[in-house]
Amino acid sequence: MATLIIDRFDGKKHYERSYSLADEDISGKTLLNTLLLIKQTQDPTLNFTASCRCAICGACGVRINGHAVLACDTKMDELFATYGADILRVSPLANFTVISDLAVDWEPSIDNLRKIHPGLAAKSEFSPQDGCRQTQEEFDRIKKQWDCILCGCCASECNKLTADRSDYMEPFVFTHAWRAAHDSRSKDPLLHGKPAVAGGLWNCVHCQECANRCPKGISSADDIAGLRAMVMAKGMTEGEGPAHARSFYTDLVEGSGRLNEVRLALRTEGVSTLARTGMAITLLRRGKMNPLEVFGGETIEGHDALVKMIEAAHASEKE
């Protein structure tokens, strides 16, 4: 026998309920099929969302043992093999408001998606008669981001949203902003870039969990990095985020190749950095920061090669 412990919510209280299942009933089945089996044979009150059953619509995102998955694209046999136990916990996606059991509220996320204008605002050169055409190469540049099915797995795993979602939009929102901004038919990339900045573009904590858990292999972390580069190239260089990025670039390319943490803080936040003098003293005492590094340090081995790699990356972006 196998056991699924499902986190439930009836609109007022959170609780859990266990369901026992015969091995032969779930062998070879997906998690979604198993949830349907429980609803049909054990508990008709269990609520969850699903539609296409073939990893296209994204409606059936849930968490298994704390990790986001698509229920229709996840085999029970693989889950038991992965976790090495015959008991699994099924929970609603994290970083969403739970409506009922495994069903969550998507309205705030859809509102964020609207903010970055995910639709096409075409260049004036395109006419209604000819349509908005692009080459295969131009389409290939954005086709991966078109694979996003809005399942919410990236948002569920996002450590920034878990810590504080008041100043940060969901990772998939930035993916769609990147796609729209880099569409060759779009009239103005900043139509999507500006609201992305306002929505916390520079607040990503680089945990890479969005990339790790996306069922379509999309890296919202890469899209966020690409959006940052784009908005800076378009002149949006004010604020701590761009200053932080410029400081990294200065140290790596124009400096010794070593990150100078003393100058990094000063360049990023200016004199307001002095407000954290106590933290700096603690770092100094524990050998985590060398004050002499403010004057520079020895150039790292292979610095020339590092500079060439960065210059080559810049060149490829312009092509």
Side-chain angles (χ1 to χ4, degrees):
M1 299 291 288
T3 299
L4 255 63
I5 302 173
I6 301 181
D7 288 322
R8 306 288 301 273
F9 178 61
D10 62 7
K12 295 182 179 179
K13 67 178 184 297
H14 293 272
Y15 61 100
E16 64 181 43
R17 182 167 178 183
S18 298
Y19 302 91
S20 297
L21 301 152
D23 291 343
E24 58 269 22
D25 289 337
I26 60 175
S27 179
K29 301 287 182 64
T30 64
L31 173 58
L32 177 57
N33 285 336
T34 303
L35 292 174
L36 288 167
L37 178 65
I38 291 173
K39 188 174 181 68
Q40 293 164 359
T41 63
Q42 296 190 41
D43 189 351
T45 70
L46 177 63
N47 288 321
F48 53 89
T49 55
S51 184
C52 73
R53 306 191 189 191
C54 53
I56 294 175
C57 73
C60 62
V62 294
R63 281 183 297 155
I64 285 287
N65 289 8
H67 295 291
V69 298
L70 274 182
C72 70
D73 199 33
T74 305
K75 295 290 185 66
M76 295 301 296
D77 296 338
E78 295 174 358
L79 288 173
F80 288 120
T82 297
Y83 292 105
D86 56 4
I87 299 176
L88 297 172
R89 178 177 290 273
V90 187
S91 310
L93 293 176
N95 301 322
F96 289 84
T97 299
V98 181
I99 297 175
S100 176
D101 297 338
L102 303 177
V104 299
D105 183 8
W106 268 84
E107 282 304 313
S109 299
I110 298 302
D111 285 342
N112 283 336
L113 194 61
R114 293 188 183 103
K115 291 175 184 176
I116 56 93
H117 308 292
L120 177 66
K123 295 176 180 177
S124 57
E125 65 194 61
F126 293 113
S127 67
Q129 294 77 20
D130 296 331
C132 299
R133 300 183 180 184
Q134 61 184 171
T135 66
Q136 184 64 47
E137 182 179 1
E138 290 169 338
F139 170 72
D140 288 343
R141 189 183 185 193
I142 60 173
K143 69 177 182 180
K144 189 62 180 178
Q145 285 72 20
W146 269 118
D147 286 342
C148 175
I149 57 175
L150 301 179
C151 63
C153 288
C154 60
S156 181
E157 300 290 312
C158 177
N159 284 309
K160 167 56 183 166
L161 288 176
T162 300
D164 179 11
R165 56 181 174 178
S166 66
D167 60 353
Y168 191 66
M169 297 192 292
E170 296 78 2
F172 63 79
V173 175
F174 296 112
T175 283
H176 282 278
W178 186 98
R179 170 193 53 75
H182 288 81
D183 192 314
S184 61
R185 302 164 296 178
S186 178
K187 68 177 182 180
D188 182 10
L190 287 183
L191 177 66
H192 319 284
K194 285 182 178 179
V197 172
L201 179 65
W202 291 98
N203 293 337
C204 170
V205 297
H206 311 289
C207 67
Q208 298 289 330
E209 289 298 325
C210 56
N212 290 340
R213 301 305 301 185
C214 177
K216 296 299 181 179
I218 299 169
S219 173
S220 291
D222 287 350
D223 297 333
I224 288 169
L227 272 176
R228 289 174 174 179
M230 183 273 290
V231 297
M232 287 187 69
K234 294 292 183 179
M236 296 187 68
T237 57
E238 298 298 321
E240 291 183 2
H244 193 72
R246 285 196 302 271
S247 184
F248 263 85
Y249 184 85
T250 299
D251 282 347
L252 294 179
V253 178
E254 300 174 10
S256 65
R258 300 180 189 274
L259 182 61
N260 190 313
E261 296 185 9
V262 178
R263 287 189 294 192
L264 175 65
L266 291 171
R267 289 169 178 157
T268 300
E269 302 179 37
V271 294
S272 63
T273 305
L274 298 176
R276 289 198 293 275
T277 302
M279 181 186 297
I281 293 174
T282 300
L283 292 172
L284 287 169
R285 286 175 175 172
R286 299 190 178 183
K288 299 294 185 179
M289 188 170 68
N290 183 356
L292 297 179
E293 288 182 354
V294 73
F295 303 108
E298 182 181 354
T299 301
I300 64 168
E301 182 179 353
H303 182 251
D304 291 342
L306 172 65
V307 172
K308 289 179 180 178
M309 290 171 59
I310 294 175
E311 289 175 346
H314 280 308
S316 65
E317 279 291 317
K318 295 176 182 179
E319 292 176 357

